[in-house]
Amino acid sequence: MALICILFGIVLQHTVDSLHSLRNFEWFKSYSQWLLKHLPGLSNQGSSSIIILLLPILIVTGLLQHWFDDAFYNLFSLIFGLAVFVFCLGPGDINRDIDAYLEARESGDEDSAQRYASAIIDREASTAPDQQTADVMQGILHLSNDRIFAIIFWFVILGPLGALMFRLTSYTMYHITNKTLADAAKNLQALMAWAPAHLVAWGYALTGNYEGATASYRGKTKQDDLGSCNYYTLISAGMGALKDCAPGEETACIRATRGLVLRTLVVWLAVIGVLTLLGWIA
């Protein structure tokens, strides 16, 4: 069931342009503001504040997940799982942003290239072409975990409940202005992203330059912050796996980076398929 939802969800993500407009989190922002208004002590709860914020939504999701399980030959469970999985992917389609960025760079449209680069890395990109290329490569390697792989990981582990928990935690970290909630969400997101980040790093090594990836990973600077550890794990392994990417071939390097992520995704899907056949994943 999980494999079917993941496969269909990824296909829909890449083929249905209107999905991005359906991923509207305004309801969650309104809910967060309402809860902060009626529970003013929430801002004093520290790390537990994100759990208090998410708990009602996760309870409802968990109940629906339980009720739909085995109902009507699992059809309702499949529909519910697919809907939640597709909603949690992204936000946006990084593949389309990469295509648009490459087209802008190849046509010499630097303003559009800078805009799409900023969309890929989720912050203001450099206007210097060489630095912009490095930023985009690192953004693809890092954000693919948050936007795709971590969603898949938690969907496999906990079903729709896990995928929604990760996505709402990430949204809180980036878009909720309350500092206590944002900091608590950052810590929880880093904790939830740790396992998939290391699995993705292994995927980069296996599908790219293995010796380069492992050497780069071993040589990375030790980080005390878990979020930074996740970031440098992905960047070091990914850039090491792309060791043969020659300077001066900016668009080729971007395509190579995307290819590395896609090959890693194929490996993940193959492993999930095998585990499903073995009956280890429902």
Side-chain angles (χ1 to χ4, degrees):
M1 187 67 67
L3 179 62
I4 295 173
C5 290
I6 292 168
L7 289 174
F8 273 93
I10 291 173
V11 170
L12 289 173
Q13 168 80 352
H14 290 294
T15 57
V16 181
D17 294 336
S18 59
L19 281 181
H20 177 57
S21 62
L22 297 176
R23 292 193 185 101
N24 190 326
F25 286 87
E26 286 301 316
W27 63 272
F28 181 70
K29 183 180 291 187
S30 299
Y31 160 76
S32 302
Q33 293 170 349
W34 178 86
L35 197 65
L36 284 166
K37 179 179 178 181
H38 289 81
L39 289 178
L42 185 62
S43 296
N44 302 320
Q45 296 302 313
S47 297
S48 63
S49 61
I50 183 63
I51 302 300
I52 297 171
L53 175 71
L54 297 180
L55 191 59
I57 298 172
L58 296 180
I59 288 174
V60 172
T61 304
L63 288 173
L64 290 173
Q65 186 173 320
H66 176 71
W67 288 338
F68 290 148
D69 191 32
D70 293 330
F72 200 67
Y73 303 100
N74 282 324
L75 179 60
F76 293 154
S77 179
L78 177 63
I79 294 172
F80 178 67
L82 179 60
V84 173
F85 180 76
V86 171
F87 180 77
C88 292
L89 285 174
D93 184 354
I94 192 171
N95 193 54
R96 287 193 178 91
D97 289 337
I98 294 171
D99 283 337
Y101 173 75
L102 289 170
E103 183 178 348
R105 282 294 295 268
E106 289 169 348
S107 64
D109 188 349
E110 297 300 329
D111 290 338
S112 295
Q114 202 271 341
R115 184 172 71 254
Y116 286 118
S118 299
I120 292 170
I121 67 176
D122 213 18
R123 59 180 172 80
E124 193 68 21
S126 173
T127 55
D130 290 344
Q131 183 59 48
Q132 189 181 95
T133 298
D135 288 345
V136 170
M137 290 175 67
Q138 293 176 9
I140 295 170
L141 294 170
H142 169 235
L143 292 174
S144 290
N145 184 55
D146 292 348
R147 297 180 180 185
I148 303 171
F149 292 106
I151 300 297
I152 293 175
F153 178 86
W154 286 105
F155 187 84
V156 169
I157 299 297
L158 295 176
L161 175 69
L164 189 61
M165 182 178 179
F166 184 84
R167 174 53 58 227
L168 293 182
T169 300
S170 292
Y171 183 87
T172 303
M173 179 176 68
Y174 289 114
H175 299 288
I176 300 300
T177 56
N178 182 276
K179 188 177 187 305
T180 300
L181 278 175
D183 289 345
K186 181 179 179 181
N187 292 333
L188 180 58
Q189 197 267 1
L191 184 63
M192 294 184 73
W194 184 88
H198 283 75
L199 291 173
V200 170
W202 273 106
Y204 290 161
L206 292 172
T207 60
N209 186 316
Y210 181 83
E211 291 182 357
T214 53
S216 181
Y217 174 79
R218 287 195 296 266
K220 71 182 178 71
T221 304
K222 185 176 180 180
Q223 302 293 322
D224 295 327
D225 175 68
L226 188 58
S228 298
C229 175
N230 295 338
Y231 175 82
Y232 285 106
T233 293
L234 291 162
I235 296 304
S236 61
M239 296 302 286
L242 294 165
K243 186 177 179 180
D244 297 332
C245 189
E249 299 179 355
E250 289 84 0
T251 56
C253 289
I254 300 298
R255 287 191 170 90
T257 307
R258 175 168 58 179
L260 181 68
V261 171
L262 292 176
R263 291 193 300 274
T264 300
L265 179 59
V266 170
V267 169
W268 270 49
L269 294 176
V271 171
I272 293 171
V274 171
L275 295 178
T276 301
L277 291 173
L278 292 174
W280 294 2
I281 296 176

